[in-house]
DNA sequence: TTGCTCCTCACGTCACGTGAGGTGGC
DNA sequence: TTGCTCCTCACGTCACGTGAGGTGGC
């Protein structure tokens, strides 16, 4: 039996996930093949979507359906999103950025430069 | 950096720009219509591409031809690139980030959050 | 058994690049 | 005049979503 305290289950099979997201199951499989999402494969060889997978798919859907961005673009944007999420806490820190953080921030910004096609060299 | 003996002209008409970039003139016109680039229209009503326009087009071409990203994606990435370029000097500053800079950085990061589809609210 | 899952193949649509065709100003 | 520019229309290609069809395990 499942823990009744949680209102929604923490794991979804593909059809349930697709319903929840209002997406086609085939689309979810395609996205996985493209490497955009990686649902675990426990329970036989079935895909099991976690909460994080669902959130990621929701974001992808917003890019694709909402903004008309293709999968190559989504891929790049997801990479950027990861870097931005790493930077966030370094800057939000209430004591202001410590010197060590500034270094890390600088490194992450360099990574962003690369991801948006701006080389580090200025030439 | 600016007015040294410039080896190349500073302005290009569309066919020269297209040759230089190895792109089709029609493509440059399409990109302008999409708002991806805005060459000035001096000299009659002809497009005159500046050095900045050329650089921007080179970047766009890398996204499109190199990475297979569509124009909607390019548009988003260019917006992100602008923000990242604003952040750069704030972090590169040799004396480390001053407190005022941290505020600005935080603001820019918030903007990045928006551009990569991550809402500011965490819910 | 039923209803799910897995997979591959194929079709329709749309975005995009490119070319044709006809215009006008330097 | 020539060789450029401007524009619009149209075609070919490719990415993508979606469906069909056939399989197998819980």
């Amino acid at each position: 039996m499942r823990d009744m305290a949680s209102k929604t289950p923490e794991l979804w099979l593909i059809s349930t996930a697709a319903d929840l997201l209002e997406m086609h199951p085939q689309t979810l499989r395609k996205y996985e093949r493209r490497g955009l999402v990686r649902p675990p494969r426990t329970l036989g060889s079935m895909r099991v979507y976690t909460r994080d997978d669902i959130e990621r798919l929701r974001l992808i859907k917003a890019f694709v359906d909402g903004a008309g961005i293709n999968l190559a673009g989504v891929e790049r944007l997801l990479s950027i999103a990861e870097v931005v999420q790493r930077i966030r806490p370094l800057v939000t820190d209430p004591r202001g950025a410590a010197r060590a953080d500034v270094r890390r921030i600088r490194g992450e910004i360099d990574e962003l430069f690369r991801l948006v096609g701006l080389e580090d060299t200025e030439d």
Side-chain angles (χ1 to χ4, degrees), chain A:
Chain A
M1 190 60 175
R2 189 170 290 271
D3 183 16
M4 292 300 281
S6 61
K7 294 181 185 144
T8 51
E10 287 295 326
L11 298 173
W12 295 263
L13 292 184
I14 196 166
S15 64
T16 323
D19 280 353
L20 182 65
L21 292 160
E22 297 183 285
M23 295 172 75
H24 196 104
Q26 281 294 33
T27 303
L28 301 195
R29 295 192 183 99
K30 282 267 175 82
Y31 284 5
E32 179 182 8
R33 199 163 316 161
R34 286 274 313 220
L36 292 174
V37 69
R38 278 185 185 64
R41 292 284 198 128
T42 46
L43 312 182
S45 71
M46 292 183 187
R47 279 166 259 250
V48 178
Y49 292 84
T50 67
R51 183 171 295 276
D52 281 354
D53 292 323
I54 299 292
E55 277 321 302
R56 194 174 174 86
L57 284 165
R58 220 189 285 281
L59 183 55
I60 294 170
K61 183 182 171 166
F63 284 140
V64 172
D65 292 357
I69 297 168
N70 70 356
L71 300 186
V74 169
E75 209 164 340
R76 186 68 63 102
L77 287 167
L78 290 175
S79 299
I80 293 173
E82 283 174 17
V83 176
V84 174
Q85 278 176 312
R86 286 200 301 266
I87 297 180
R88 210 358 136 55
L90 302 180
V91 177
T92 304
D93 190 320
R95 70 205 153 81
R99 192 161 288 267
D101 285 345
V102 173
R103 266 207 114 148
R104 287 195 50 202
I105 293 173
R106 202 176 302 167
E108 301 289 11
I109 298 290
D110 285 347
E111 175 67 4
L112 286 182
F113 249 66
R114 199 182 58 75
L115 289 168
V116 295
L118 303 165
E119 287 311 314
D120 282 315
T121 54
E122 206 150 5
D123 115 301

